Amino acid sequence: MNKDDLVLLEGKVVSVGEGGTFRVEVNGGQQVLAKLGGKLRRARIRVVLSDEVRVAVSPFDPTHGLIVHRNR
């Protein structure tokens, strides 16, 4: 699967779990379990509670994803 196959969703971080996992509520009211994407992790960008983020979700499993962008 390519990066082009991922679906980008806008959402808000509602809880921070252990091990670098975040629960993100996307616009449709669904919750997605997400981890930090590669460049965010490499640049050590902090994501905290109530941040607006963009999540890349696989069309095969829409309950898990990667946080690829943090809005300012």
Side-chain angles (χ1 to χ4, degrees):
M1 189 161 85
N2 289 337
K3 284 185 180 179
D4 300 334
D5 297 336
L6 298 176
V7 178
L8 292 177
L9 301 172
E10 298 286 330
K12 187 175 189 176
V13 176
V14 291
S15 71
V16 179
E18 50 190 48
T21 60
F22 301 91
R23 187 150 311 267
V24 178
E25 185 172 327
V26 294
N27 294 337
Q30 285 183 297
Q31 290 196 352
V32 177
L33 186 66
K35 289 190 166 197
L36 288 179
K39 287 191 177 183
L40 287 175
R41 192 174 345 129
R42 199 171 350 171
R44 295 186 177 144
I45 294 176
R46 305 285 175 156
V47 175
V48 295
L49 196 63
S50 76
D51 273 350
E52 296 286 331
V53 294
R54 189 176 306 150
V55 181
V57 178
S58 168
F60 300 110
D61 186 14
T63 61
H64 291 84
L66 292 172
I67 297 175
V68 294
H69 185 262
R70 179 181 149 247
N71 296 337
R72 293 183 182 198

